[in-house]
């Protein structure tokens, strides 16, 4: 290792639930087998470069507060390089195998797109070298199409066609570098793709343009031989009042409507799910039952606040719900669990980077173990299967097989009485989790 950025922080090891060492895992034991795979294989944790490395702790009411060792370097490119080195120390010490980034998180923006490309290339070649040395993979890359003033009215959905072209040039490059780094996925989060008031908006043109943009992106991925998954990330609001990629249901309708559904999958984030008025579990379930589950932005929102706080997950019931859904799929790969999570503004010391990730990793490890035990016991799955048993035989099976219409169903039911229904047992089923905690 070159320079050490976090000399106070040791390599984080599993010490078990009895340990009171803050710099140890209590539940995440990477090589422990759960439900046939190691925790590491199930969870595929990833560090989000923007929150963990680039984020400064500022909020709409206050300036940056984070203490970060690389901030003393004034040259922008030198600072970017130091920060990239620091990432690998974070990954090594936390034993995390993946990271994710936006182009502008890792390299400073230049005067022109050409200069930005050049800056990016320089940092990407450093990242590539470090990835090889540290055996780390890129979960996904993406482009920041929301920070610079040019994107005030959106990128692919801007009213200005030159901005659409700029976004195309920027995403083209971001896809190339994602491929260069062997990225497993590429993410499209519609930064400012939406509107603040429909009165000044040509919504039809904007949505058509968003589809044109995604189609060009998918074509370009094919052209350069990028084989990773292409993922769209839903979010209902913020920064715009109405984001077009509202939720999983809206993205599905959009992709199906524009004939793009077989080219994209979905990257789902907990905080965005709850902002849309859904649970994370609902969004994951809807995506997976449509074959669209791509990857997860593993964070948690504050139920008291109406914005995207992107907190580290510490809620066990949340984690159990996520892992229960994941265990009912073939797993997340090539997706993973990206900690799209930032430390609270009050947690501004460098050590908090580690404590925050340990908290979330332990929470998901517990979620995984609890969900695996629940799935093994099978009480919930059996209850749900029994609840729908009328669809397995008789009239239910016939309806499913397409053997009925309104005439035949009326005839079947006309004189049948009484029809019995049974309890949904909501309280029992929700409390089943508690038995396995
Ligand atoms: C912001 C999004 C963003 C995406 C990547 O709300 O979550 O961080 O994950 O652009
Ligand atoms: Ni996200
Ligand atoms: Ni978020």
């Amino acid at each position: 290792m070159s320079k050490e950025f976090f000399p106070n922080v040791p390599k984080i090891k599993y010490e078990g639930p009895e340990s009171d060492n803050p710099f140890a895992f209590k539940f995440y034991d990477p090589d422990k087998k759960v439900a046939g795979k190691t925790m590491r294989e199930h969870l595929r944790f990833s560090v989000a470069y923007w929150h963990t490395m680039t984020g400064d702790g500022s909020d709409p009411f206050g300036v940056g507060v984070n203490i970060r060792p690389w901030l003393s370097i004034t040259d922008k490119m030198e600072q970017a390089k130091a920060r990239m080195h620091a990432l690998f120390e974070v990954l090594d010490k936390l034993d995390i195998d993946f990271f994710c980034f936006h182009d502008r998180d890792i390299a400073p923006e230049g005067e022109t797109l050409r200069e930005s490309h050049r800056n990016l290339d320089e940092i990407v070649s450093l990242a590539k070298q470090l990835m090889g040395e540290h055996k780390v993979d890129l979960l996904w890359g993406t482009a920041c199409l929301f920070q610079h003033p040019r994107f005030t009215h959106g990128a692919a959905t801007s009213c200005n066609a030159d901005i659409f072209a700029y976004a195309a040039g920027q995403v083209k490059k971001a896809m190339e570098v994602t491929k260069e780094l062997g990225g497993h996925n590429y993410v499209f989060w519609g930064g400012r793709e939406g509107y603040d008031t429909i009165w000044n908006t040509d919504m039809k043109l904007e949505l058509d343009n968003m589809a044109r943009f995604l189609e060009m992106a998918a074509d370009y991925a094919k052209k350069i031989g990028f084989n990773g998954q292409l993922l769209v990330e839903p979010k209902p609001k913020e920064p715009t009042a109405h984001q077009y990629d509202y939720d999983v249901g809206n993205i599905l309708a959009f992709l199906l409507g524009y004939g793009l559904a077989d080219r994209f999958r979905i990257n789902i984030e907990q905080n965005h799910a709850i902002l849309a008025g859904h649970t994370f579990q609902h969004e994951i379930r809807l995506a997976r039952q449509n074959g669209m589950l791509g990857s997860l932005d593993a964070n948690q929102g504050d139920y008291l606040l109406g914005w995207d706080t992107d907190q580290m997950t510490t809620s066990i019931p949340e984690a159990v719900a996520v892992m229960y859904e994941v265990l009912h799929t073939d797993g997340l790969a090539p997706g993973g669990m990206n900690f799209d999570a930032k430390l609270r503004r009050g947690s501004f010391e460098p050590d908090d980077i580690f404590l925050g990730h340990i908290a979330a990793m332990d929470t998901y490890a517990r979620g995984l173990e609890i969900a695996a035990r629940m799935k093994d016991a099978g009480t919930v799955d059996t209850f749900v299967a029994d609840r729908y048993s009328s669809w397995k035989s008789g009239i239910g099976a016939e309806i499913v097989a397409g053997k009925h219409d309104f005439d035949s169903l009326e005839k079947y039911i006309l004189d049948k009485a009484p029809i019995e229904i049974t309890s949904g047992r909501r309280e029992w089923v929700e409390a089943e989790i508690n038995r396995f905690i």
Side-chain angles (χ1 to χ4, degrees):
M1 195 183 297
S2 44
K3 170 183 182 311
E4 203 177 359
F5 292 91
F6 308 99
N8 300 338
V9 180
K11 173 136 180 109
I12 312 300
K13 299 210 180 77
Y14 172 75
E15 290 185 5
E18 302 308 319
S19 168
D20 60 5
N21 173 8
F23 293 101
F25 296 122
K26 319 300 182 300
F27 301 100
Y28 182 60
D29 186 0
D31 299 315
K32 179 173 178 186
K33 284 224 168 161
V34 179
K37 280 194 283 189
T38 63
M39 285 190 166
R40 184 193 298 281
E41 287 163 337
H42 278 291
L43 294 165
R44 298 171 63 79
F45 289 136
S46 156
V47 166
Y49 203 96
W50 51 103
H51 287 312
T52 296
M53 308 309 296
T54 313
D56 63 2
S58 59
D59 71 11
F61 302 93
V63 298
V65 290
N66 286 350
I67 301 170
R68 298 291 182 261
W70 50 88
L71 289 179
S72 56
I73 306 171
T74 45
D75 181 84
K76 283 272 164 56
M77 283 300 280
E78 289 311 308
Q79 188 187 99
K81 285 179 196 165
R83 202 169 55 213
M84 184 56 77
H85 278 280
L87 167 75
F88 287 85
E89 187 181 332
V90 170
L91 293 167
D92 274 352
K93 288 187 169 172
L94 286 166
D95 203 354
I96 292 182
D97 302 319
F98 297 95
F99 71 109
C100 297
F101 69 89
H102 300 85
D103 47 7
R104 302 295 175 257
D105 309 333
I106 64 168
E109 170 130 17
E111 285 296 315
T112 59
L113 185 58
R114 189 183 300 280
E115 196 183 318
S116 298
H117 283 0
R118 217 182 301 128
N119 291 349
L120 188 58
D121 280 334
E122 203 174 321
I123 304 296
V124 163
S125 78
L126 172 65
K128 191 172 182 182
Q129 174 210 323
L130 292 169
M131 285 170 71
E133 286 169 23
H134 294 258
K135 310 234 171 325
V136 162
D137 269 21
L138 177 63
L139 187 63
W140 47 265
T142 188
C144 176
L145 303 176
F146 43 91
Q147 238 159 35
H148 192 279
R150 77 175 66 85
F151 297 123
T152 296
H153 302 306
T157 66
S158 174
C159 45
N160 183 319
D162 275 357
I163 300 299
F164 183 102
Y166 195 102
Q170 190 178 328
V171 168
K172 173 179 179 292
K173 181 70 179 176
M175 294 180 94
E176 289 163 7
V177 306
T178 299
K179 175 174 188 259
E180 169 77 10
L181 296 175
H184 294 234
N185 307 270
Y186 184 91
V187 164
F188 297 86
W189 168 59
R192 292 181 191 272
E193 312 298 25
Y195 61 75
D196 283 318
T197 173
I198 202 163
W199 286 103
N200 70 6
T201 303
D202 183 343
M203 183 158 72
K204 172 81 168 70
L205 178 64
E206 291 199 3
L207 285 167
D208 287 350
N209 282 345
M210 198 164 88
R212 284 186 186 101
F213 194 90
L214 288 178
E215 187 171 12
M216 287 181 203
D219 288 346
Y220 191 65
K222 196 166 168 210
K223 184 169 170 187
I224 63 173
F226 174 69
N227 298 319
Q229 292 189 121
L230 302 180
L231 306 175
V232 181
E233 179 176 327
K235 184 174 185 179
K237 53 186 159 196
E238 193 193 303
T240 72
H242 178 95
Q243 300 272 127
Y244 291 134
D245 295 320
Y246 199 93
D247 58 5
V248 169
N250 271 268
I251 289 181
L252 258 176
F254 174 85
L255 293 175
L256 287 167
Y258 285 98
L260 294 168
D262 55 343
R263 311 186 77 178
F264 293 86
R265 285 188 172 172
I266 302 180
N267 181 46
I268 309 171
E269 176 172 322
Q270 194 274 2
N271 207 156
H272 301 178
I274 69 169
L275 286 176
H278 307 303
T279 62
F280 198 14
Q281 188 175 15
H282 164 92
E283 291 288 82
I284 298 171
R285 180 81 62 90
L286 186 59
R288 90 171 160 83
Q289 72 193 21
N290 284 284
M292 298 294 274
L293 178 59
S295 197
L296 299 177
D297 271 3
N299 64 12
Q300 81 184 19
D302 190 319
Y303 285 95
L304 301 181
L305 298 173
W307 68 88
D308 194 26
T309 56
D310 288 340
Q311 292 165 221
M312 287 289 181
T313 308
T314 51
S315 159
I316 291 175
E318 281 285 351
V320 173
V322 171
M323 297 321 298
Y324 197 75
E325 294 302 318
V326 169
L327 287 174
H328 283 79
T329 67
D330 309 335
L332 282 172
M337 303 247 284
N338 173 44
F339 293 122
D340 190 353
K342 60 169 170 264
L343 303 165
R344 299 303 83 201
R345 192 163 187 269
S347 306
F348 53 82
E349 294 183 26
D351 293 3
D352 290 306
I353 292 178
F354 297 86
L355 299 176
H357 283 86
I358 293 168
M361 292 164 82
D362 272 342
T363 303
Y364 278 107
R366 284 210 80 184
L368 170 63
E369 289 198 299
I370 293 162
R373 286 206 300 276
M374 275 179 72
K375 185 168 179 255
D376 249 16
T379 50
V380 173
D381 286 340
T382 305
F383 176 74
V384 174
D386 285 351
R387 193 162 177 249
Y388 293 87
S389 59
S390 69
W391 294 91
K392 290 285 175 227
S393 61
I395 189 78
E398 289 169 22
I399 294 172
V400 170
K403 292 184 183 148
H404 281 281
D405 58 18
F406 272 12
D407 287 322
S408 66
L409 289 174
E410 186 195 43
K411 191 162 158 239
Y412 166 81
I413 209 70
L414 218 43
D415 300 309
K416 225 177 171 225
I419 303 169
E420 275 174 24
I421 61 164
T422 53
S423 168
R425 307 250 187 269
R426 172 175 176 169
E427 295 75 12
W428 171 80
V429 82
E430 288 186 351
E432 262 304 83
I433 291 185
N434 299 347
R435 224 156 53 83
F436 298 90
I437 290 184

